[in-house]
């Protein structure tokens, strides 16, 4: 080597750079990992349980291991870059460069072995170069020479009990205690990654691992920590990989995001639910995959791992949807997902013959055994199982023939979890069509399964996920019924809500309530079967949405027909009067169940019958049918008015002229509503003969008018309710209304009869309540369109509201209680529209109105604030020629000034000032197109006064309590006589008590 360096300086440069690169980048922080790999290889080669010990002695790191000692090929590998003495696929290394990691912590290294020991030394290498006459270029001084290319024999031997010991003299900058602490954290992972290692000792701390073979090709790996804590994993081997799942409380759980291990940790980040230890080509530093590595082949057999797990735990292996953490992660996620989608491993329910006799159904519903069979359909029973030896780890379940599996005709077993929480391997008895059969039970002794409990495994059905369906939160009772007509159905243990996301990854068809209802149509079953079906479905109807989805369930009728939708049927006729109801359909008595009532099936009560969709269909196609008219009007008195649908108004009745008209276009004779309607309103009057035969109460119940009618819609989708100006109201809303209740026909009220109309609205609780909803249609419409004495309600104020007193009129003629109910219809000072702004500006310019100065200022402040916030655009307004001054006088706009600084109010006449709030004075000036007083009048303080501070002057202390902090900022200047000289729009000299300038406040001292 020295000759090579002497003859080729380039060779020396390459070797130095190569070793330096590996130390600085490729093998940083991997000292224990690389030495542990060598120890594992040595133990595997010797066929012994590998042990590794690490200790720190006098600044030297001692790493000893058992296994084959160092041989000639090993020495060659240690002294040659990218050359290894390892042969065979069971050994970890490939390039012989991992030992370079020791250079990251020391320059003097010994490798002591029972077969001989060698030393690597930077100092010795430098001396050898000097003795040979080899010069190190200046640019290589920091990295040359390469330490691991030359060796010297040493007489030392490894510590007793070890076959090889690596001793590294730590450089001064290496913290030995921190190094050992990092190794302690790494030790459990190395025992997981390197099965040939069974024990690692770091200082006084010992870590051990043990493997126990379980059933179905699983093994349990247990790593014991120094404190006695145990960490467990379940392991499954395939041809190219080991897959491991952490075990918590006896059950496997998904691993946290990890990295590819080949077999030790790489930099390829993964998000798989299982830890992957793979046989895959890696780059020399074993941090990244080699380009072209056939990564997806590693997924082969992943479905076998899933099938080996207890059925209730199998979904733990399904990747959770999310972004891949690396390119390798994306490939592996796709590969394992494809593997899971295309192989049979997902446990599904069996198809069990069902006894549909009345006796069996009654026993099933009451949870009592029948005389012939103590187990109701789909219920638990003890069942024998046959045993079959488990496969070797490398055997794929897909290669097993059907003859390899033993069968069982026993019923399903419903037994509790074992001591470790393992569920029975199955709870089904015969395979569904298209599914593969699981073994009844693997031969496994109690000491090969965690906790000594061998899970019972009656024959189950493992199905390809894409051919299976899942019903969320499936129960055993419902499963026993559904499996007859749904095909392969995921077992209840894997059907909870938490499993749905993973099942969707597998493309398992989701069978929801609506789909189940659709599947029920067309089934030919006895009525007793339907009752059993309803009993199994009932626990799933927990809210209105689910009830709606089950709304298409098939229902058998007493006449032998099968109809769709419980809402279209009647469970029983309990009417006490004879009513010719011909739109209801009666359920077969043997199929009657409470679920049908929950889903909308009705007893023959008046309310239910009058809200039946079948009746609406009749009214839409033949609203004047005499039988329908007679039945509806005889039922109506027995139903609460508020519960009846508005579409009953479609029913056509004769009016007083003999013509047929819809009920909601008719009024009862003498109806109060008639007195407030316009003379040409479209309402007619129902015939007296109809009133005499059925009574006014029945007619009012179906929509014949007496007072104002109300339109309701529980789920409005747009302004399509035939209400006046409804699109404009809809546009005014910030979001679509959740429901709609609105008084109709308001646009038909005579303009001169609104006080009476309002009293009608206030007198009826249902319409009175609608007035309180400011954003509702009724209040919105009345605010804009209803008028009293020619003034819109929205321009009238409440008598107790003095915000615009003297500018807008107050509403009168109602008592205090009704006035409070009408408040949402009146003017709203907090909402300044362009229309209200023009109304107020015109009122301010009206000589006939006499608002108080406070009202004038407050109104100007409201207007200015609306401009400042953008709620009001002055360009949209038609301004009057005159404005209201602070003293209440109406003046020409050309002589007015906007007060923007309060002190000018002391020197400018109030009949020229337009005042609001000084914070929005500029907005008020913009609105009224007026100048600011501070821009038109220049004020100069005469005399210098005495400058002081607010804290030093007794008068300042008093004034500070009267004025705001902003008014007492700056200096305080006291004057015996405070005179202000004015120029501009106002001229002259004025004596004032105080004056504010930019940086001071001037105050005239009171005379005693």
């Amino acid at each position: 080597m020295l000759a090579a360096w002497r003859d080729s300086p380039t060779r020396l440069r390459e070797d130095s750079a190569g070793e330096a690169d590996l130390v600085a980048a490729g093998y940083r922080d991997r000292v224990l990992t690389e030495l542990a790999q060598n120890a594992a290889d040595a133990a595997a080669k010797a066929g012994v349980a590998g042990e590794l010990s690490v200790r720190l002695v006098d600044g030297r790191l001692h790493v000893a291991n058992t296994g084959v000692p160092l041989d000639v090929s090993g020495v060659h590998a240690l002294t040659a870059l990218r050359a290894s003495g390892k042969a065979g696929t069971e050994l970890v290394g490939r390039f012989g460069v991992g030992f370079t990691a020791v250079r990251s912590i020391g320059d003097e290294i010994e490798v002591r072995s029972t077969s001989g020991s060698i030393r690597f030394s930077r100092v010795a290498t430098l001396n050898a170069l000097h003795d040979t006459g080899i010069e190190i270029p200046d640019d290589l001084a920091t990295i040359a020479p390469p330490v691991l290319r030359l060796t010297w024999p040493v007489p030392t031997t490894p510590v007793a009990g070890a076959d090889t010991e690596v001793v590294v003299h730590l450089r001064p900058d290496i913290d030995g205690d921190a190094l050992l602490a990092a190794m302690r954290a790494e030790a459990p992972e190395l025992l997981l990654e390197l099965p040939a290692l069974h024990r690692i000792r770091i200082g006084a701390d010992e870590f051990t691992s043990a493997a126990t073979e379980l059933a179905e090709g699983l093994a349990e790996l247990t790593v014991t920590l120094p404190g006695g804590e145990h960490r467990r994993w379940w392991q499954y081997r395939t041809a190219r990989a080991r897959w491991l799942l952490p075990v918590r409380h006896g059950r496997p759980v998904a691993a946290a995001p990890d990295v590819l291990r080949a077999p030790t940790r790489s930099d390829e980040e993964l998000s798989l639910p299982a830890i992957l230890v793979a046989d895959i080509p890696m780059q020399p530093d074993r941090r990244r995959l080699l380009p072209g590595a056939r990564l997806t082949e590693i997924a082969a057999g992943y479905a076998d791992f899933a099938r080996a797990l207890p059925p209730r735990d199998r979904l733990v292996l399904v990747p959770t949807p999310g972004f891949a953490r690396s390119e390798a992660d994306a490939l592996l996620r796709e590969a394992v997902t494809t593997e899971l989608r295309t192989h049979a491993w997902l446990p599904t329910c069996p198809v069990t013959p069902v006894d549909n006799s009345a006796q069996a159904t009654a026993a099933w519903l009451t949870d009592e055994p029948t005389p012939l069979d103590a187990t109701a359909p789909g219920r638990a029973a003890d069942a024998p199982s046959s045993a079959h030896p488990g496969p070797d780890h490398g055997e794929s379940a897909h290669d097993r023939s059907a003859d390899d599996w033993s069968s069982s005709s026993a019923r399903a077993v419903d037994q509790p979890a074992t001591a470790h929480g393992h569920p029975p391997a199955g709870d089904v008895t015969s395979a569904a069509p298209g599914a593969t059969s699981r073994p009844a039970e693997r031969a496994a002794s109690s000491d090969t399964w965690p906790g000594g409990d061998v899970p019972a495994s009656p024959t189950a059905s493992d199905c390809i996920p894409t051919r299976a369906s899942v019903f969320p939160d499936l129960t055993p009772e419902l499963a026993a019924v559904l499996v007859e007509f749904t095909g392969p159905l995921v077992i209840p243990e894997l059907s909870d809500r938490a499993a749905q996301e993973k099942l969707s990854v597998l493309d398992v068809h989701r069978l929801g309530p609506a789909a189940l209802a659709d599947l029920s149509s067309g089934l030919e079953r006895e009525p007793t079967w339907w009752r059993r079906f309803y009993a199994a479905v009932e626990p799933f109807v927990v809210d209105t949405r689910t009830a709606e989805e089950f709304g298409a369930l098939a229902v058998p009728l007493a006449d032998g027909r099968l109809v769709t939708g419980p809402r279209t049927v009647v469970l029983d006729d309990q009417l006490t009067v004879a009513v010719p109801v011909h739109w209801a359909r009666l359920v077969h008595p043997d199929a009657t169940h409470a679920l049908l009532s929950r889903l909308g099936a009705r007893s023959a009560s008046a309310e239910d019958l009058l809200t039946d969709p079948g009746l609406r269909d009749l009214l839409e196609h033949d609203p004047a049918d005499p039988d329908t008219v007679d039945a509806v009007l005889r039922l109506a008195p027995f139903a609460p008015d508020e519960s009846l649908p508005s579409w009953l108004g479609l029913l056509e009745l004769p009016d007083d002229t003999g013509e047929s008209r819809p009920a909601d276009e008719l009024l009862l004779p003498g109806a109060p509503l008639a007195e407030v309607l316009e003379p040409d309103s479209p309402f007619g009057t129902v015939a007296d003969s109809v009133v005499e035969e059925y009574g006014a109460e029945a007619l009012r119940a179906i929509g014949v008018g007496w007072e104002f009618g109300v339109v309701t819609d529980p789920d409005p989708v747009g302004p399509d309710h035939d209400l006046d100006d409804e699109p404009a109201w809809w546009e005014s809303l910030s979001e679509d209304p959740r429901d709609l209740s609105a008084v109709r026909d308001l646009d038909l009220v005579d303009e001169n009869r609104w006080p009476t109309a309002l009293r009608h609205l206030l007198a009826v609780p249902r319409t009175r309540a609608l007035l309180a909803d400011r954003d509702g249609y009724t209040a919105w419409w009345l605010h804009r369109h209803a008028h009293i004495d020619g003034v819109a309600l929205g321009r009238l104020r409440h008598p107790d509201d003095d915000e615009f007193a003297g500018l807008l009129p107050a509403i009168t003629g109602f008592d205090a209680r009704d006035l409070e109910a009408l408040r949402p219809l009146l003017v709203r000072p907090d909402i300044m529209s362009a229309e209200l702004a023009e109304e107020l500006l015109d009122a301010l310019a009206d000589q006939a109105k006499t608002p108080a100065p406070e009202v004038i200022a407050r109104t100007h402040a409201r207007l200015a604030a609306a401009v400042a916030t953008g709620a009001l655009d002055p360009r949209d307004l038609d301004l009057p020629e005159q404005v209201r001054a602070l003293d209440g006088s109406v003046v020409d706009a050309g002589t007015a000034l906007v007060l923007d600084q309060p002190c000018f109010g002391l020197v400018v006449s109030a009949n020229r000032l337009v005042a609001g709030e000084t914070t929005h004075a500029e907005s008020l000036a913009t609105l009224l197109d007026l100048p600011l007083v501070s821009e038109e009048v220049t004020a100069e303080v005469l005399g210098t006064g005495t400058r002081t501070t607010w804290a030093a002057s007794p008068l300042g202390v008093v004034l500070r309590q009267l004025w705001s902090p902003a008014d007492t900022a700056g200096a305080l200047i006291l004057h015996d006589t405070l005179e202000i000289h004015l120029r501009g729009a106002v001229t002259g000299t004025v004596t004032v008590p105080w004056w504010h300038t930019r940086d001071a406040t001037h105050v005239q001292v009171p005379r005693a």
Side-chain angles (χ1 to χ4, degrees):
M1 179 55 63
L2 288 172
W5 287 346
R6 181 188 60 209
D7 297 339
S8 176
T10 300
R11 175 67 180 274
L12 175 60
R13 182 180 296 274
E14 290 175 348
D15 288 352
S16 298
E19 183 174 294
D21 287 345
L22 291 173
V23 170
Y27 287 94
R28 66 187 186 281
D29 303 326
R30 291 179 65 92
V31 175
L32 183 62
T33 297
E34 298 304 326
L35 295 180
Q37 288 183 166
N38 290 339
D41 292 340
K45 203 170 183 180
V48 298
E51 295 187 10
L52 182 72
S53 67
V54 181
R55 56 198 175 94
L56 192 63
V57 180
D58 297 333
R60 297 188 302 271
L61 183 71
H62 292 253
V63 183
N65 65 271
T66 58
V68 295
L70 184 66
D71 56 14
V72 174
S73 64
V75 174
H76 289 166
L78 294 177
T79 58
L81 287 175
R82 306 181 188 277
S84 175
K86 301 175 184 178
T89 59
E90 296 302 320
L91 303 184
V92 176
R94 287 289 182 273
F95 300 101
V97 294
F99 186 73
T100 311
V102 298
R103 283 278 288 112
S104 65
I105 60 173
D107 298 329
E108 306 294 324
I109 303 104
E110 294 182 33
V111 181
R112 303 172 181 176
S113 183
T114 56
S115 58
S117 303
I118 59 174
R119 176 172 65 96
F120 298 96
S121 171
R122 176 180 175 83
V123 173
T125 302
L126 284 171
N127 291 337
L129 290 175
H130 180 268
D131 294 343
T132 312
I134 301 174
E135 296 290 336
I136 298 177
D138 292 340
D139 60 336
L140 294 182
T142 58
I143 62 174
V147 175
L148 300 180
R149 305 309 304 276
L150 299 178
T151 64
W152 287 265
V154 292
T156 53
T157 59
V159 66
D163 295 303
T164 302
E165 182 178 19
V166 177
V167 180
V168 184
H169 296 249
L170 300 180
R171 286 195 298 271
D173 62 327
I174 301 299
D175 184 341
D177 293 335
L179 181 62
L180 289 185
M183 291 181 173
R184 288 187 184 94
E186 191 177 359
E189 299 293 324
L190 291 173
L191 290 174
L192 193 67
E193 298 161 350
L194 304 170
L197 277 184
H198 290 200
R199 187 186 310 275
I200 297 177
R201 186 179 294 106
I202 310 292
D205 297 328
E206 184 173 274
F207 305 80
T208 61
S209 67
T212 304
E213 295 298 324
L214 308 177
E216 301 287 353
L218 288 174
E220 182 172 270
L221 299 184
T222 302
V223 173
T224 303
L225 305 183
E229 178 187 353
H230 299 290
R231 295 181 184 177
R232 292 185 172 86
W233 291 264
W234 281 359
Q235 172 183 275
Y236 191 88
R237 290 182 180 270
T238 64
R240 296 283 304 279
R242 286 189 299 127
W243 297 94
L244 300 109
L245 279 175
V247 179
R248 302 287 184 270
H249 307 294
R251 294 189 63 180
V253 297
D258 199 59
V259 294
L260 173 65
R261 305 174 188 233
T264 54
R265 298 174 66 87
S266 69
D267 288 347
E268 298 287 358
E269 296 188 6
L270 301 181
S271 61
L272 297 175
I275 296 173
L276 172 59
V277 184
D279 178 18
I280 189 76
M282 303 292 291
Q283 293 181 11
D285 58 7
R286 307 199 64 77
R287 290 183 180 270
R288 294 291 180 185
L289 288 164
L290 275 179
R294 299 166 71 176
L295 191 63
T296 57
E297 294 179 359
I298 292 176
Y302 191 78
D304 295 336
F305 185 15
R307 187 166 42 249
L309 296 177
R312 68 172 180 174
D313 295 323
R314 295 183 187 178
L315 289 183
V316 73
L317 285 178
V318 179
T320 301
F323 292 108
R325 304 180 71 213
S326 65
E327 182 180 357
D329 189 32
L331 292 172
L332 279 171
R333 286 173 62 91
E334 181 63 27
V336 299
T337 302
T338 300
E339 168 83 3
L340 292 174
R341 286 175 181 165
T342 55
H343 292 84
W345 62 273
L346 187 64
T348 56
C349 302
V351 177
T352 304
V354 176
D355 182 0
N356 281 322
S357 67
Q359 183 183 41
T361 300
W364 187 86
L365 291 171
T366 59
D367 203 16
E368 296 177 355
T370 65
L372 296 179
D373 188 350
T375 303
R379 301 278 176 138
D382 292 333
S385 59
S386 57
H388 190 284
D392 293 333
H393 288 177
E395 180 186 357
S396 170
H398 306 309
D399 299 329
R400 304 170 195 158
S401 65
D403 294 335
D404 289 335
W405 302 119
S406 58
S407 62
S408 171
S409 60
R411 287 189 179 272
V413 174
D414 184 9
Q415 66 182 48
T418 66
H420 266 67
H422 304 298
D427 62 348
V428 289
T429 60
S430 60
T436 60
S437 175
R438 280 185 53 80
E441 181 182 338
R442 295 296 181 185
S445 64
S446 62
D447 58 354
T448 61
W449 193 261
D453 296 311
V454 181
S457 301
T459 302
S461 303
D462 290 335
C463 183
I464 296 174
T466 54
R467 299 179 185 175
S469 298
V470 60
F471 186 85
D473 296 324
L474 181 69
T475 62
E477 292 80 7
L478 184 58
V481 180
L482 295 188
V483 76
E484 295 183 37
F485 61 92
T486 61
L489 191 65
V490 177
I491 62 173
E493 292 86 345
L494 300 184
S495 300
D496 58 14
R497 296 287 171 178
Q500 299 309 306
E501 186 177 47
K502 292 192 173 184
L503 292 174
S504 66
V505 171
L506 301 172
D507 290 341
V508 175
H509 173 63
R510 188 177 186 276
L511 190 63
L516 183 58
D518 290 340
L519 288 173
S520 70
S521 62
L523 288 177
E524 296 182 3
R525 297 290 191 276
E526 293 296 323
T528 52
W529 183 94
W530 286 101
R531 186 182 179 199
R532 178 177 168 230
F533 177 45
Y534 299 146
V537 166
E538 185 178 25
F540 294 89
V541 184
V542 295
D543 52 36
T544 55
R545 177 180 177 181
T546 310
E548 288 293 333
E549 292 178 331
F550 275 122
L553 277 177
V555 183
L557 301 183
D559 59 7
R561 291 180 297 150
L562 188 69
V563 297
T564 299
R567 291 182 180 177
T568 68
V569 302
V570 173
L571 291 173
D572 196 4
D573 184 1
Q574 298 181 9
L575 284 176
T576 59
V577 294
V579 177
V581 177
H582 58 275
W583 61 84
R585 299 183 283 186
L586 184 63
V587 178
H588 194 290
D590 291 341
T592 299
H593 190 275
L595 172 67
L596 298 178
S597 296
R598 295 180 61 189
L599 296 182
R602 292 167 295 282
S603 62
S605 66
E607 178 182 348
D608 289 338
L609 289 172
L610 289 175
T611 58
D612 193 303
L615 174 59
R616 183 171 186 173
D617 290 340
L618 287 177
L619 295 181
E620 289 176 348
H621 292 90
D622 189 5
D625 176 67
D627 290 337
T628 303
V629 171
D630 183 63
V632 169
L633 291 177
R634 291 192 184 279
L635 287 171
F638 298 96
D641 293 349
E642 63 275 6
S643 67
L644 297 183
S646 58
W647 47 259
L648 285 177
L650 297 173
L651 191 74
E652 292 189 359
L653 304 172
D655 64 7
D656 54 3
T657 66
E659 295 184 3
S660 292
R661 302 179 67 173
D664 57 8
E665 294 182 8
L666 292 170
L667 299 177
L668 285 166
L673 181 60
E675 67 177 344
V676 300
L677 297 178
E678 295 176 341
D680 58 350
S681 71
F683 282 99
T685 303
V686 69
D688 290 338
S689 59
V690 177
V691 180
E692 292 172 2
E693 182 175 0
Y694 297 106
E697 182 181 358
L699 294 169
R700 289 182 62 182
I702 66 167
V704 175
W706 180 256
E707 295 285 359
F708 282 100
V710 176
V711 175
T712 60
D713 187 348
D715 189 21
V717 295
D720 54 3
H721 303 88
D722 294 326
L723 298 171
D724 180 61
D725 209 13
E726 186 181 6
W729 166 70
W730 196 279
E731 281 294 323
S732 72
L733 300 175
S734 59
E735 59 181 6
D736 291 350
R738 294 182 179 180
D739 51 38
L740 173 71
S741 291
V743 177
R744 65 187 186 118
D745 303 323
L746 293 174
D747 56 315
L748 301 180
V749 174
D750 190 303
E751 280 292 322
N752 298 317
R753 298 176 181 175
W754 268 113
T756 303
L758 289 174
R759 290 187 180 90
H760 285 317
L761 291 171
L762 290 165
V764 179
R766 189 179 186 188
T767 54
R768 184 187 184 96
L770 296 178
L771 302 183
D773 182 6
R774 268 193 171 191
D775 296 326
Y777 169 82
T778 304
W780 178 91
W781 194 97
L782 292 171
H783 177 81
R784 284 160 178 76
H785 300 294
H787 291 73
I788 295 179
D789 296 332
V791 180
L793 282 180
R795 301 296 176 265
L796 295 175
R797 60 183 180 84
H798 191 282
D800 294 339
D801 185 357
D802 60 356
E803 181 85 10
F804 300 130
L807 296 175
L808 298 181
I811 188 172
T812 58
F814 297 89
D815 62 30
R817 183 170 174 270
D818 286 345
L819 282 172
E820 193 61 31
L822 292 174
R823 188 184 287 274
L825 316 182
L826 306 178
V827 65
R828 304 172 187 174
D830 58 322
I831 301 177
M832 185 63 66
S833 64
E835 294 80 6
L836 177 58
E838 286 191 343
E839 184 87 14
L840 291 171
L841 290 172
D842 289 342
L844 287 168
D846 188 350
Q847 295 274 8
K849 298 187 181 297
T850 58
E854 175 65 20
V855 172
I856 297 169
R858 191 163 54 223
T859 303
H860 281 143
R862 287 279 188 184
L863 292 166
V867 173
T869 60
L872 192 62
D873 188 346
R875 294 173 297 181
D876 296 335
L877 305 178
D878 186 10
L879 299 177
E881 295 295 329
Q882 295 178 307
V883 294
R884 182 77 63 163
L886 181 59
D887 68 344
S889 61
V890 177
V891 299
D892 291 335
T895 65
L897 302 171
V898 173
L899 180 64
D900 60 329
Q901 295 181 20
C903 57
F904 279 96
L906 303 174
V907 297
V908 179
S909 175
N911 62 7
R912 296 192 63 184
L913 291 178
V914 175
E917 290 183 356
T918 56
T919 53
H920 293 147
E922 291 187 4
S923 297
L924 182 60
T926 300
L927 171 66
L928 300 178
D929 195 19
L930 298 176
L932 297 173
V933 65
S934 64
E935 295 175 349
E936 298 296 314
V937 178
T938 302
E940 178 185 357
V941 177
L942 301 180
T944 58
T946 303
R947 181 176 292 269
T948 183
T949 65
W950 295 91
S953 169
L955 181 59
V957 173
V958 173
L959 292 177
R960 181 178 283 178
Q961 297 182 36
L962 297 175
W963 291 345
S964 68
D967 295 327
T968 59
L972 174 63
I973 301 176
L974 302 179
H975 297 259
D976 292 333
T977 300
L978 178 58
E979 293 182 320
I980 306 298
H981 182 64
L982 305 175
R983 294 189 300 275
V986 177
T987 61
T989 300
V990 183
T991 300
V992 296
W994 56 269
W995 191 265
H996 284 302
T997 60
R998 177 175 302 177
D999 57 355
T1001 299
H1002 299 261
V1003 178
Q1004 178 173 292
V1005 178
R1007 292 185 176 89

